[in-house]
Amino acid sequence: MTTVPEPVTRLAAVLRADNPGPMTLDGTRSYVLRAPGSASCVVVDPGPDDAAHLDALAAAGPVELVLVTHRHADHTAGSPGLRARTGAPVRAADPDHCHGGAPLRGGETIRAAGLRIEVLATPGHTADSVCLVLPDDDPGGTVLTGDTVLGTGTTVIAEPDGSLGDYLASLDALEAVATRAVPGPATGLPGHGPVVDDLGQRVRAYRAHRHERLAQVRAALAGLGLDPAAPDAVDRVVAHVYADVDPSVRGAARQSVTAQLAHLAATDGRPGTGPADDR
């Protein structure tokens, strides 16, 4: 494991935490952002409460500000420790994960470390998920996507506050940001997995995957004669649609099915009769 952040774009460097697992892939990625010539930096997602990881982030400073993309502990547990090491305020959309800083607001622009950072509210994975946009990064801007878009695979709609409807709307918002740049394409820096070279393309693939899964769940409900609100619907649909997933991520599949059934119950009215637009 490297202990020095490695540059991935003109304005961003990455330091990967040593916390690999089924839900974290090869480890949580913390990002160090700074404009060329800036004395200070911004850290995004301190990661787990790992002393070596936090020491390395602090050493990349001086750290002016810490930003958090969402509430999950593999992104936030290190926040108090990094604040203790640097004195930098920690800002997140969820006030419970702020330490000395105000909550993030969707639509606001932050100026720190010589950078312009736009906050894009992207609920869905969790209710408090945000993406952070560096519109001045080359060639087409950079978006730090947290767990909304991963470097490999797809994200879970996490209980208890994840929402598939919100997630689909957030993909629309991300695509709008990712395709506004010239000359483009926009780069995605995910919380897990490698750099996404064309974020707009990846978002479109994510949307297609979600609609495909919804169609599979609708077909399963119809074939099993189930209402999406039935008490045993989640377990039976998981067994039918996600039969081939590794047991290590079966819990994640169950969370996603829970979100899919809630979405269908709200939008379809009854199994097998979906609207033209799943959003």
Side-chain angles (χ1 to χ4, degrees):
M1 295 285 297
T2 180
T3 59
V4 178
E6 298 179 341
V8 286
T9 72
R10 186 174 65 91
L11 303 179
V14 66
L15 185 68
R16 178 166 54 87
D18 188 16
N19 64 334
M23 299 301 293
T24 57
L25 304 181
D26 59 350
T28 302
R29 280 161 163 73
S30 300
Y31 292 95
V32 177
L33 313 179
R34 58 163 40 100
S38 173
S40 63
C41 69
V42 174
V43 171
V44 176
D45 286 346
D49 187 12
D50 177 274
H53 184 71
L54 297 176
D55 286 345
L57 289 173
V63 179
E64 178 179 346
L65 178 65
V66 179
L67 301 175
V68 169
T69 60
H70 67 291
R71 62 176 172 76
H72 284 150
D74 60 305
H75 296 256
T76 63
S79 294
L82 189 58
R83 175 162 169 75
R85 286 166 169 80
T86 65
V90 180
R91 299 188 62 194
D94 184 344
D96 288 344
H97 293 287
C98 294
H99 305 277
L104 294 173
R105 295 176 287 103
E108 75 170 299
T109 297
I110 297 167
R111 297 188 181 275
L115 301 169
R116 181 165 55 116
I117 305 170
E118 298 172 353
V119 179
L120 179 68
T122 51
H125 170 63
T126 60
D128 68 320
S129 290
V130 300
C131 292
L132 302 168
V133 183
L134 299 174
D136 303 318
D137 210 354
D138 297 329
T142 294
V143 184
L144 290 88
T145 59
D147 284 3
T148 298
V149 173
L150 303 179
T152 185
T154 56
T155 194
V156 65
I157 308 300
E159 294 180 311
D161 59 344
S163 164
L164 182 55
D166 286 347
Y167 186 74
L168 290 168
S170 291
L171 290 181
D172 291 345
L174 260 181
E175 185 179 17
V177 168
T179 56
R180 76 184 182 188
V182 177
T187 299
L189 300 182
H192 306 278
V195 171
V196 178
D197 292 328
D198 187 335
L199 181 59
Q201 182 183 62
R202 180 64 58 85
V203 167
R204 289 187 289 275
Y206 263 40
R207 184 187 294 109
H209 171 77
R210 289 294 173 181
H211 286 295
E212 179 183 357
R213 282 298 196 195
L214 278 171
Q216 291 171 344
V217 170
R218 279 199 190 95
L221 290 170
L224 295 167
L226 281 173
D227 186 277
D232 60 345
V234 172
D235 290 330
R236 293 181 67 183
V237 169
V238 169
H240 191 86
V241 176
Y242 291 86
D244 59 342
V245 303
D246 190 275
S248 66
V249 293
R250 184 60 64 92
R254 197 178 191 283
Q255 290 187 67
S256 286
V257 167
T258 299
Q260 289 161 346
L261 292 177
H263 182 72
L264 292 177
T267 59
D268 282 16
R270 63 183 188 277
T273 57
D277 184 350
D278 287 312
R279 286 168 288 178

